[in-house]
Amino acid sequence: MNTTEDNANYLQDSIDDAIIELLCVVKSQRELKPIFRKHQGEKWNSYFEELLALHTEYQRFPTSELSKSTKLAGWIKRQRCHYKRFQSGRESAMTPERIEKLESIGFVWDKQEALWQQRAAELLSFKKASGHCCVPRDYQEYPKLANWVKCQKRQYKLYQQGLVPNFSKERIRQLDAIGFQWNAQKSFDDANLVNQASYSLKVTSYFEAKGSPLEDHLFAVMD
């Protein structure tokens, strides 16, 4: 994370994690004796069903869509907190059964990984719409995507130099599957080719709609 925005987001995430961890400790001391009360179990199932509905709709873990439900987003943060406590052997509301249910719908325990997967999903959506992965800086639908793409190329370059060991082969494989261009110039050239092809198709369609092929107009200009 080498940009000011990335650093600010990372700092905010760290603060959020610390707050959630503290709340989990307080909550465990107040409510987890016994660990489960009937209404707590029902509430957990209600949130899970809400998350399951989103997963069914988008066919993936709906990271970017969670902003529409602040309560569900907060519940997910608590699950990550309880999972961390469960993994370290501390008192927690997390159970193996709940872990299994959450993982069955692709629940992402690591928040940074969840954000990465969100951006990858946005890039795939952009690729389907545009035919390339050269995201413009002013792309309104996903304002942070262009900077993320640039960051992936920078991280990949450092990975090749052995300086970023946590840039996993799985991430490289996932981006390759989308059609990600690691070389900036190649990415730019691909975008130009797609745009030129799209323009040519529009011009051809325009003249065909008028009842005469494009070639007739070209020969008329040459004559």
Side-chain angles (χ1 to χ4, degrees):
M1 298 183 182
N2 297 322
T3 67
T4 302
E5 183 181 5
D6 287 337
N7 289 333
N9 289 337
Y10 183 78
L11 178 59
Q12 185 60 54
D13 284 344
S14 298
I15 294 173
D16 288 345
D17 285 342
I19 293 173
I20 292 294
E21 176 72 14
L22 179 59
L23 290 175
C24 281
V25 172
V26 173
K27 188 176 182 65
S28 67
Q29 291 175 345
R30 286 181 176 178
E31 299 181 353
L32 299 182
K33 296 180 181 179
I35 291 181
F36 300 117
R37 293 174 180 155
K38 183 177 179 181
H39 75 277
Q40 290 174 334
E42 291 173 350
K43 197 170 184 179
W44 193 96
N45 288 330
S46 175
Y47 278 121
F48 177 79
E49 291 299 324
E50 185 178 346
L51 180 60
L52 178 60
L54 284 174
H55 178 271
T56 302
E57 179 180 355
Y58 295 100
Q59 294 299 304
R60 59 177 171 79
F61 186 72
T63 307
S64 57
E65 289 75 23
L66 292 175
S67 59
K68 300 173 184 177
S69 173
T70 54
K71 288 186 177 180
L72 182 58
W75 178 81
I76 285 176
K77 285 185 177 182
R78 292 194 296 276
Q79 302 318 298
R80 289 177 176 144
C81 169
H82 284 302
Y83 178 77
K84 186 185 295 185
R85 293 178 62 82
F86 177 84
Q87 291 292 88
S88 62
R90 290 178 288 172
E91 189 176 36
S92 168
M94 187 56 64
T95 67
E97 291 76 17
R98 288 183 172 182
I99 292 173
E100 184 177 357
K101 287 185 71 172
L102 289 168
E103 290 184 344
S104 71
I105 61 171
F107 191 92
V108 183
W109 298 107
D110 181 83
K111 182 164 52 178
Q112 295 303 319
E113 177 64 19
L115 180 59
W116 193 93
Q117 293 297 337
Q118 173 187 332
R119 295 286 181 259
E122 292 172 354
L123 180 62
L124 178 59
S125 177
F126 174 84
K127 171 72 181 296
K128 288 179 178 179
S130 65
H132 59 82
C133 294
C134 188
V135 185
R137 294 180 181 179
D138 58 350
Y139 189 60
Q140 295 298 316
E141 188 170 355
Y142 303 121
K144 297 182 179 180
L145 186 56
N147 187 59
W148 181 83
V149 168
K150 182 179 179 181
C151 181
Q152 300 316 297
K153 294 176 181 178
R154 182 169 59 244
Q155 293 290 303
Y156 179 70
K157 187 175 182 179
L158 293 174
Y159 170 79
Q160 288 184 310
Q161 298 171 359
L163 300 176
V164 184
N166 62 341
F167 194 72
S168 68
K169 292 182 179 180
E170 174 56 29
R171 287 187 174 184
I172 295 172
R173 184 203 63 76
Q174 191 171 340
L175 289 173
D176 281 342
I178 295 175
F180 193 87
Q181 290 293 346
W182 301 101
N183 181 282
Q185 184 59 48
K186 181 67 167 59
S187 180
F188 181 76
D189 291 343
D190 283 356
N192 279 339
L193 286 174
V194 170
N195 290 335
Q196 289 171 13
S198 177
Y199 177 75
S200 297
L201 181 61
K202 288 179 181 178
V203 172
T204 301
S205 299
Y206 171 79
F207 284 111
E208 287 180 348
K210 287 185 171 294
S212 58
L214 175 61
E215 290 80 359
D216 291 350
H217 292 272
L218 292 176
F219 287 131
V221 173
M222 292 173 65
D223 291 341

